[in-house]
């Protein structure tokens, strides 16, 4: 086998000028066979032959080729570095560190892949820009909406009127009753001493004069002239109505500091409160609440800060936002 | 890593450190090995009762002081058996080396490189963490650890990514790492605490036993480098050394030959051979067949011991080859691993 390959090999050496020729000459000078060398170096004979023919393509890699050349040169007592320097290892494959399996892994979509990164950065950009746009649009939008809101609510009010129309006379007739109900419900025990007497009186009057409708009216009329001396201008108590389309946290106190409402009011509920005119109102979710002041829809959107609204409500000049 | 870290990274660089017991090598990505110094730190105790200690010298300069220091200077090797023996000093040493590398590059900025450090595969979690924190304390922005045989195999240019077994034997100063690798992972690894230092100790105790003379570590190392061998050869080399005669208490000069050193090294060498044989025993047969065909590769300073490949060849019956430039294989491999991590993501090599 060696005899067959040698003639070709000799021609190859002349062209290549690699270390193979030196190795073979040195081996022959020492009367060693390829098999003997292979046994000493613990290598297969074909590797020794490949080294002597400067044919590194079937060998494991440059590291191993250099190592084999060194071992072989040492065995023959040749200069290792010189021989390794002669070897032309350019053609020899250096092992790549990415295995076929690793490459297969990289074929799979990875979050590190450039397209995915670009796409995710784009999405992020869009989200950020959109968020910025939304935030910038939000303020003007709510402002813009406020005027239509007024008009629509005006329309609604028109629609509501038939509903309220019957209630209005009733309310007028039952002023005392509603006052009582409001007072008893919202502030049963903290009512000012000045008001206590008329309230009790009114209650008595209402109880006593329950059957005849005229009596409460009389009581009311008796009441109203009674109160003004004590409460002067605020006596014509203001009426605050809150219509809950969404549930909202509500804190309302009147000018005297009485808490008229405090708590989470569920949606669908309608709250009617009476008290001294400038009310301090805090609505946790202002969008879901409509405020009527003395029967007129009050637009609280200018006082709105996010979902919340905090404002003072009374006569027009009193209306102003409240700080904490 | 955060935007700031990324920004700082623009003015920094990636380095791979072979934090060895004997030598520390620093490989800067794109530049190659820029630092190769002994892992020795000399500390000077300032005058006064409770005064501060100061670093007197690090690296080659400190190594020259080993065993030759006056009372107020101690030369310490902060690494022992491949792991940190003195945490603070190691941190100082790393700091010094990183700064030294940095000085030649960007002077205006504080160094904060990404650092990859090679750890022995036998290192415990505690030891790994110590190394990691030491590097972080020395100013590294990010610290990666890679197992030493993996780095050595990459540095030696072994085809570790192929579905074919590669065996690497990395004989360092403190430990010898044996690993069988395939498909970018470690199939078997073992670390024995035998290395260049044990060779030196063996020579010291041999000389003490047979000559009644005490020699220093530096001398023992010189003996090993000049006439040490692992396998008997026809050529006998000699060296003249000086040591303190224990009986007379006077420094004496005497001559050692390579056969004596061979005898002295028998014990640590048999430890390494035994570990290799165990590794081959534990290797799955298919990978064992690949190793038998291609041979195992020696790296690390221990590979420079004369005829060590011959010894292993005779003992195991497998081809054994010595890697090109075995001293720097681990550092180069670490640098290559850093590059691979950037190109293909950090999950290429099993790192922690």
């Amino acid at each position: 086998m060696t005899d067959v390959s040698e003639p070709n090999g000799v021609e190859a050496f002349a062209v290549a000028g690699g270390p193979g020729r030196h190795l073979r000459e040195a081996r022959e000078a020492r009367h060693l066979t390829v098999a003997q060398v292979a046994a000493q170096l613990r290598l297969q004979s074909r590797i020794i032959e490949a080294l002597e023919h400067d044919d590194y393509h079937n060998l494991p890699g440059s590291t191993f080729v250099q190592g084999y050349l060194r071992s072989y040169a040492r065995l023959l007592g040749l200069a290792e570095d010189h021989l390794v320097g002669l070897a032309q290892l350019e053609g020899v494959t250096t092992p790549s560190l990415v295995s076929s399996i690793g490459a297969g892994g990289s074929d799979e979509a990875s979050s590190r892949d450039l397209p995915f990164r670009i796409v995710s950065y784009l999405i992020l950009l869009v989200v950020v820009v959109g968020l910025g746009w939304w935030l910038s649009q939000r303020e003007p939008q709510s402002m813009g909406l406020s005027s239509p809101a007024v008009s629509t609510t005006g329309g609604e009010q028109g629609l509501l009127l038939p509903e309220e129309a019957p209630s209005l006379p009733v309310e007028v007739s039952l002023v005392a009753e509603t006052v009582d109900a409001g007072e008893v419900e919202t502030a049963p025990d903290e009512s000012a001493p000045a008001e206590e007497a008329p309230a009790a009186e009114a209650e008595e009057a209402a109880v006593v004069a329950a059957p005849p409708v005229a009596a409460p009216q009389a009581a009311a009329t008796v009441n109203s002239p009674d109160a003004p001396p004590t409460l002067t201008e605020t006596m014509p108590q203001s009426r605050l109505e809150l219509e809950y389309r969404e549930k909202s946290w509500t804190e309302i106190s009147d000018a005297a500091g009485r808490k008229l409402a405090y708590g989470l009011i569920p949606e669908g509920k309608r709250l009617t409160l009476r008290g001294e005119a400038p009310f301090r109102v805090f609505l946790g979710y202002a969008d879901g609440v409509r405020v009527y002041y003395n029967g007129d829809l009050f637009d609280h959107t200018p006082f709105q800060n996010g979902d919340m609204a905090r404002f003072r409500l009374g006569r027009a000049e009193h209306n102003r936002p409240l700080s904490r | 890593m955060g935007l700031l870290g990324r920004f700082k990274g623009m003015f920094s660089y990636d380095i791979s450190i072979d934090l060895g017991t004997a030598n520390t090598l620093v490989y800067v990505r794109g530049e190659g090995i820029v630092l190769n110094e002994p892992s020795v730190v000399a500390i000077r105790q300032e005058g006064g009762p409770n005064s501060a200690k100061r670093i007197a010298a690090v690296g080659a300069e400190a190594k020259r002081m080993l065993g030759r220091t006056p009372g107020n200077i101690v030369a310490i090797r902060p690494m022992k058996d491949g792991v940190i023996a003195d945490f603070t000093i190691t941190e100082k040493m790393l700091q010094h080396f990183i700064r030294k590398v940095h000085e030649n590059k960007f002077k205006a900025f504080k160094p904060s490189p990404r650092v990859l450090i090679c750890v022995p595969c036998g290192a415990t979690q505690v030891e790994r963490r110590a190394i990691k924190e030491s590097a972080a304390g020395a100013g590294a922005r990010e610290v990666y650890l890679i197992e030493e045989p993996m780095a050595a195999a990459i540095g030696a240019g072994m085809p570790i990514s192929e579905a074919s077994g590669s065996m690497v034997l990395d004989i360092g100063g403190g430990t010898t790492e044996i690993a069988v690798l395939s498909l970018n992972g470690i199939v078997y690894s073992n670390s024995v605490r035998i290395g260049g230092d044990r060779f030196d100790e063996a020579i010291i105790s041999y000389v003490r036993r047979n000559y009644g003379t005490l020699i220093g570590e530096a001398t023992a190392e010189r003996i090993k480098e000049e006439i040490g061998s692992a396998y008997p050869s026809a050529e006998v080399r000699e060296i003249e050394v000086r040591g303190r005669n224990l009986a007379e208490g006077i420094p004496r000069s005497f001559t050692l030959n390579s056969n004596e050193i061979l005898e002295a090294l028998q014990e640590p060498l048999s430890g390494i051979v035994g570990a290799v044989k165990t590794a081959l025993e534990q290797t799955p047969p298919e990978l064992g067949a690949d190793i038998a065909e291609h041979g195992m590769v020696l790296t690390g300073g221990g590979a420079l011991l004369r005829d060590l490949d011959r010894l292993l060849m005779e003992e195991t019956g497998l081809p054994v080859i010595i890697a090109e430039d075995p001293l720097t294989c681990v550092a180069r491999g670490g640098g290559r691993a850093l590059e691979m991590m950037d190109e293909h993501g950090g999950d290429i090599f099993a790192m922690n």
Side-chain angles (χ1 to χ4, degrees):
Chain A
M1 182 192 163
T2 46
D3 295 332
V4 177
S5 61
E6 265 171 7
N8 301 329
V10 172
E11 282 164 36
F13 307 147
V15 180
R21 186 168 48 91
H22 298 280
L23 288 170
R24 199 171 65 110
E25 281 168 3
R27 172 176 63 81
E28 282 166 354
R30 284 161 188 263
H31 309 290
L32 290 167
T33 64
V34 169
Q36 280 172 322
V37 169
Q40 287 224 24
L41 293 178
R42 306 292 195 275
L43 289 169
Q44 293 165 352
S45 304
R46 67 168 184 87
I47 293 181
I48 303 296
E49 278 163 25
L51 289 176
E52 290 187 358
H53 294 165
D54 293 331
D55 171 23
Y56 306 131
H57 293 284
N58 294 323
L59 298 183
S62 61
T63 307
F64 289 94
V65 171
Q66 286 180 29
Y68 297 157
L69 283 174
R70 268 178 205 283
S71 305
Y72 196 175
R74 195 134 30 102
L75 183 77
L76 299 174
L78 301 173
E80 302 168 27
D81 293 326
H82 175 66
L83 273 179
V84 173
L86 282 178
Q88 288 168 339
L89 294 167
E90 287 88 45
V92 181
T93 50
T94 38
S96 73
L97 288 180
V98 182
S99 66
S100 51
I101 288 172
S106 69
D107 277 352
E108 285 171 19
S110 157
S111 60
R112 289 171 194 278
D113 291 351
L114 192 65
F116 288 93
R117 274 158 74 166
I118 287 174
V119 166
S120 42
Y121 281 133
L122 274 176
I123 290 172
L124 194 70
L125 191 76
V126 164
V127 165
V128 166
V129 166
L131 198 72
W133 179 81
W134 182 67
L135 283 175
S136 66
Q137 289 295 302
R138 237 186 111 198
E139 286 303 313
Q141 198 182 23
S142 60
M143 292 297 192
L145 269 181
S146 64
S147 50
V150 169
S151 65
T152 51
T153 45
E156 275 176 49
Q157 209 172 21
L159 284 174
L160 285 172
L161 269 170
E163 260 180 47
E164 289 199 5
S167 73
L168 275 171
V170 172
E171 273 178 304
V172 169
S173 63
L174 295 173
V175 170
E177 212 179 274
T178 44
V179 166
D180 289 342
E183 302 249 56
V184 171
E185 195 181 279
T186 55
D189 43 21
E190 26 174 303
S191 47
E195 266 185 358
E196 215 162 348
E201 237 176 86
E203 208 174 272
E204 268 173 39
V207 171
V208 168
V213 184
Q217 252 176 341
T221 45
V222 169
N223 263 344
S224 42
D226 239 18
T230 53
L231 292 171
T232 58
E233 50 163 6
T234 53
M235 195 43 220
Q237 284 192 329
S238 308
R239 184 159 52 94
L240 190 63
E241 282 176 70
L242 296 140
E243 192 180 283
Y244 287 87
R245 285 183 297 173
E246 302 283 344
K247 65 178 174 193
S248 166
W249 177 264
T250 307
E251 285 177 47
I252 297 171
S253 55
D254 69 359
R258 286 181 302 163
K259 266 188 187 161
L260 303 180
Y262 184 85
L264 189 67
I265 313 291
E267 66 255 48
K269 184 143 186 192
R270 199 182 167 92
L271 213 65
T272 306
L273 305 167
R274 279 166 196 277
E276 283 173 51
F279 296 97
R280 299 167 73 91
V281 182
F282 170 67
L283 297 172
Y285 183 62
D287 289 334
V289 184
R290 271 198 202 154
V291 182
Y292 298 93
Y293 178 66
N294 289 337
D296 299 327
L297 181 74
F298 174 72
D299 177 24
H300 58 267
T301 44
F303 310 118
Q304 212 166 316
N305 180 13
D307 284 341
M308 296 183 295
R310 203 185 279 276
F311 53 93
R312 198 146 83 142
L313 177 58
R315 260 183 273 147
E317 68 270 20
H318 290 137
N319 296 348
R320 60 181 173 86
L322 287 171
S323 55
R324 261 176 188 281
Chain B
M1 85 174 105
L3 199 63
L4 185 68
R6 212 172 270 196
F7 179 73
K8 276 166 100 177
M10 286 167 69
F11 301 97
S12 200
Y13 43 90
D14 298 338
I15 62 180
S16 129
I17 300 178
D18 173 13
L19 189 59
T21 316
N23 289 291
T24 296
L25 283 87
V26 178
Y27 174 100
V28 174
R29 194 173 149 189
E31 291 188 19
I33 307 260
V34 295
L35 185 137
N36 180 355
E37 298 217 30
S39 309
V40 185
V41 181
I43 295 161
R44 176 188 290 125
Q45 177 85 46
E46 300 278 293
N50 45 7
S51 55
K53 287 179 179 172
R54 283 203 176 183
I55 306 281
V58 181
E61 204 185 328
K63 193 184 180 185
R64 278 198 295 278
M65 299 180 183
L66 261 184
R68 298 191 172 102
T69 49
N72 64 332
I73 295 177
V74 206
I76 294 175
R77 299 178 60 174
M79 304 290 292
K80 201 169 169 59
D81 297 333
V83 295
I84 293 180
D86 189 321
F87 187 81
T88 333
I89 309 252
T90 305
E91 194 175 312
K92 291 279 177 214
M93 185 176 78
L94 271 179
Q95 213 165 15
H96 176 91
F97 287 148
I98 290 176
R99 205 175 296 147
K100 198 165 172 182
V101 170
H102 188 80
E103 261 170 25
N104 312 327
K105 294 169 66 69
F106 317 93
K107 288 184 182 169
F109 298 94
K110 208 168 159 261
S112 71
R114 284 202 306 169
V115 174
L116 182 135
I117 299 187
C118 310
V119 290
C121 50
T124 61
Q125 288 297 323
V126 177
E127 290 162 343
R128 277 162 209 251
R129 196 179 165 91
I131 288 180
K132 222 170 177 174
E133 294 197 345
S134 206
R141 177 159 44 101
E142 278 177 80
V143 186
Y144 305 99
L145 299 183
I146 186 172
E147 303 206 307
E148 233 162 67
M150 175 69 90
I154 296 170
M158 295 172 76
I160 58 157
S161 300
E162 289 166 20
S164 140
S166 310
M167 185 166 184
V168 66
L169 181 64
D170 178 50
I171 305 172
T175 58
T176 292
E177 315 269 325
I178 306 147
V180 177
L181 304 140
S182 176
L183 296 170
N184 281 340
I186 292 177
V187 178
Y188 169 88
S189 73
N190 189 17
S191 173
V192 287
R193 304 211 157 172
I194 299 171
D197 291 348
R198 284 288 296 274
F199 294 160
D200 296 349
E201 282 166 27
I203 290 171
I204 292 172
S205 64
Y206 177 86
V207 170
R208 189 188 165 120
R209 204 165 50 235
N210 292 292
Y211 288 82
T213 304
L214 210 57
I215 55 170
E217 277 173 40
T219 307
E221 194 177 345
R222 192 163 57 90
I223 295 169
K224 176 184 72 182
E225 280 164 8
E226 288 188 14
I227 64 166
S229 74
Y231 198 75
S233 70
E235 178 199 5
V236 175
R237 290 174 309 278
E238 292 192 335
I239 187 174
E240 192 178 322
V241 290
R242 283 164 202 85
R244 174 162 57 90
N245 190 300
L246 286 168
E248 298 172 32
I250 295 166
R252 289 274 178 235
S253 166
F254 55 99
T255 307
L256 289 167
N257 68 42
S258 53
N259 285 336
E260 288 173 304
I261 301 307
L262 176 65
E263 195 189 327
L265 294 179
Q266 277 314 300
E267 195 225 324
L269 284 174
S270 65
I272 291 177
V273 169
V276 171
K277 283 182 173 169
T278 313
L280 288 169
E281 246 174 60
Q282 304 277 328
T283 305
E286 283 299 331
L287 299 178
D290 295 333
I291 295 163
E293 193 181 335
H294 302 149
M296 71 179 90
V297 175
L298 294 186
T299 67
L304 296 173
L305 184 68
R306 195 168 285 106
D307 286 335
L308 182 61
D309 54 338
R310 186 85 191 280
L311 171 75
L312 289 167
M313 233 186 261
E314 298 297 331
E315 290 283 345
T316 62
L318 301 180
V320 178
I321 65 169
I322 298 172
E324 289 293 297
D325 202 0
L327 275 172
T328 62
C329 272
V330 172
R332 280 186 289 129
R336 184 86 189 94
L338 263 178
E339 284 164 28
M340 300 299 298
M341 263 167 54
D342 268 9
E343 287 163 27
H344 304 280
D347 47 357
I348 281 217
F349 308 107
M351 286 195 215
N352 37 8

